[in-house]
Amino acid sequence: MEAEAYRASCLQSVAAVYDVVLITSEEPSWEVPYIRDCVVVPDPTDLAALSAAGRVLAELYDVAGVFTWTEWYLVPVARLARRLGLTTTAPEVMQACRNKATARSLFARHGVPSAASISVRSLPEAADAAEGIGYPVVVKPAARAASLGVIRADTPEQLPAAHEFADQAAGQGPENTGVLVEEYLDGPEVSVECVTYRGETTVVAVTRKTLSPPPFFEELAHTVDAADPLLRTVEPAARAAIRALGVTDGVSHVEMRLVDGRPRLVEVNGRIAGDMIGHLVRLATGIDLARAAADIACGKAPDLVPTRSSAAAIRLLYPETSGTLTHLSFEGPRPPWLERIHFHHHPGDRLLLPVDGGHLFTARIGYLITTGPTGETADARARSALDRLEARVEPAPIT
């Protein structure tokens, strides 16, 4: 289960300090040891149903705060918090985080370096936008996440397929089905993990990323080093982006690229990062972002004092080809620096890469996390662990 694989550590951390009552889209399973009660709401984006569930829990318990780490629920949960009179960044601000076109306009208004971006409603409009911006361009949904539907087009000939790919993903979005054509920012991608409390932002860590080859933007690896000198370079841009959007309270995952060594904003996600980045931050710095998010939601100042200075890395495991997974094993004993290894898929499962119409949930086999005194060491250990991982895939047509 993807939720358990990536968010169990967050829930465990919060439950160690607070009694947790959960609003969830399905009956809880792995969450049960960490929660006191729950209400099932089949569609948490339905504000009326979410509000009714919130009122039920508020009548039963002294609810001190509410927050989410799920991208699709950011706006409804902010509205719920406001209706319950609890601490939250304004729903309109969360909406701006969710809508990449709105965010780009706010970045431009406040002088935050970003990318040229044009909303389009059709392929001819996309062609005009790409011609005006200049190739290569990035075509993406205005309100998705996890790189779903994001693709690069290097030439006019590649644009129709790219637009169709992005438009199909955008059509599955619950909030906004728009498509953007954007300037391609040529440089390494990083994310900046930030905590904002009562309008004051603390930059906690920078995450260096490894992406898949073009035209897709699948994230293959992340590394967090508490002593990363890049933090000083990206900190002003991350603060400026959060301020431009109007985020007042919560944890933010700010994505940017370094173009000629200078930060250019990609987007601000108003939540804890996915892909276990929050766990990497805790391993590297001792700072608990999940606990910080819960504290802020309850109106308390978060503890952001580092208690360690080391590094951690995650490698997200993908096959080289789509097909049926026939063998999966890790050879030899696990060294102490291999913090964990987790598989989503097992022999017999079919895997479908983005190039064949899939996405991360159909393609990703799992992940492994390594630690070390520096980012370079954690990365080297990850490569060593990968050498001991054997995954065989039988290429086959997948329907």
Side-chain angles (χ1 to χ4, degrees), residues 204-216:
V204 172
V206 60
T207 306
R208 296 183 184 246
K209 300 178 179 294
T210 301
L211 302 182
S212 63
F216 303 106

Side-chain angles (χ1 to χ4, degrees), residues 2 5-7 10 69-71 145-146 191 193 207 209 219 222 224 251-253 255 269 271-281 289 314 316 360 364 367:
E2 288 85 1
Y6 292 98
R7 294 306 192 188
C10 293
W69 42 66
T70 301
E71 182 74 20
S191 65
E193 319 314 326
T207 306
K209 300 178 179 294
E219 296 183 346
H222 308 289
V224 176
V251 175
S252 299
H253 172 61
E255 297 181 327
N269 301 281
R271 52 165 173 80
I272 300 170
D275 285 350
M276 297 294 286
I277 290 174
H279 187 61
L280 301 186
V281 170
L289 292 178
I314 185 170
L316 305 161
L360 70 88
R364 188 180 291 178
Y367 61 79

Side-chain angles (χ1 to χ4, degrees), residues 64 79-87:
R79 289 176 174 154
L80 173 60
R82 174 164 284 182
R83 290 186 177 187
L84 295 177
L86 301 171
T87 299

Side-chain angles (χ1 to χ4, degrees), residues 71 96-101 103-104 107 112-115 140-148 150 180 182 185 189-192 219 237-238 241-242 245 252-257 264-271:
E71 182 74 20
C97 291
R98 288 290 302 126
N99 189 315
K100 296 176 178 62
R104 292 282 189 220
F107 294 156
V112 180
S114 182
K140 61 168 61 171
R144 294 290 276 166
S147 299
L148 294 173
V150 183
L180 304 178
E182 296 192 339
L185 301 177
E189 183 165 324
V190 302
S191 65
V192 189
E219 296 183 346
I242 288 172
L245 289 171
S252 299
H253 172 61
V254 182
E255 297 181 327
M256 59 181 72
R257 285 199 168 209
R264 300 274 298 277
L265 262 293
V266 175
E267 62 190 45
V268 174
N269 301 281
R271 52 165 173 80

